[in-house]
Amino acid sequence: MQHFKFVPVVCLCTLTLACKRPDPIRLQPTIEEPAALASIVRISDPTTYRQLLRGFYELEVNAWRWAAPKFDVALGAPPSAPKKGAVLFLDFTLPETSMATLKSITIAARVTRTELAPETYTTPGPHEYRREVPAAAFTRDVVDVEFSVDKFLTPAGDGRNLAVITKAIGLEPK
């Protein structure tokens, strides 16, 4: 008879241990790598607009932005750039109204502290500024690219200084 009293106690203890609550979910901080910067920034791409550092105006028709006479962008260096260098490009347009007034526009660029040769444009329409960037300019995974334009327009009633219409800026591997 004593076993019969003892068996329910053992069963109750076993059930109590077997029915314990699951461990609660505990949130733990994680260390996430920051997203690598793109080596090519398409002006219309919302995922790269934070790489436009200075001198860009609002996005127009979801395709392009006016740039001021000085504008900067941060670009991720192509993987082979520290050994082989890269090619910087600026895809832009010069409107007819700008060229009728200004006659010519000269664009120059600097990658990190490396000055690149300027180029003068005298015709309206789409253009591309392209320059080779030496490997020595790539000491980090991210490079700051500074552009400057010698002439610009300030339309009446508009406080902006309008230099060129930008569509894309990037570094291509050699």
Side-chain angles (χ1 to χ4, degrees):
M1 286 300 256
Q2 288 181 354
H3 291 329
F4 289 117
K5 291 180 183 176
F6 184 67
V7 169
V9 171
V10 170
C11 288
L12 281 174
C13 288
T14 304
L15 284 174
T16 305
L17 291 174
C19 294
K20 77 175 194 173
R21 293 182 187 173
D23 287 336
I25 297 173
R26 291 184 180 93
L27 299 178
Q28 303 220 356
T30 60
I31 299 172
E32 294 183 17
E33 293 287 324
L37 293 184
S39 60
I40 296 176
V41 173
R42 306 230 180 274
I43 299 300
S44 61
D45 184 354
T47 64
T48 58
Y49 82 94
R50 291 179 189 238
Q51 291 180 235
L52 305 175
L53 301 177
R54 172 176 74 115
F56 292 92
Y57 296 104
E58 63 279 345
L59 184 65
E60 300 202 27
V61 294
N62 290 324
W64 52 269
R65 294 177 190 263
W66 275 106
K70 291 183 186 266
F71 54 102
D72 303 352
V73 63
L75 297 174
S80 62
K83 292 182 182 176
K84 297 181 179 179
V87 177
L88 172 69
F89 73 89
L90 167 64
D91 183 12
F92 68 99
T93 297
L94 297 172
E96 278 192 43
T97 53
S98 295
M99 295 311 292
T101 303
L102 301 174
K103 307 295 184 215
S104 70
I105 288 179
T106 300
I107 296 177
R110 182 168 60 185
V111 176
T112 312
R113 292 187 179 110
T114 304
E115 298 284 337
L116 304 179
E119 187 168 345
T120 300
Y121 302 88
T122 58
T123 59
H127 295 281
E128 189 174 63
Y129 172 87
R130 291 183 75 78
R131 291 291 180 267
E132 289 194 16
V133 182
F138 298 97
T139 58
R140 300 183 340 218
D141 291 342
V142 176
V143 293
D144 294 331
V145 181
E146 302 170 15
F147 289 95
S148 61
V149 180
D150 67 337
K151 299 176 190 172
F152 57 91
L153 295 177
T154 305
D158 186 343
R160 300 179 299 169
N161 295 326
L162 307 178
V164 297
I165 293 174
T166 57
K167 296 178 187 169
I169 302 168
L171 289 166
E172 297 173 336
K174 279 187 179 178

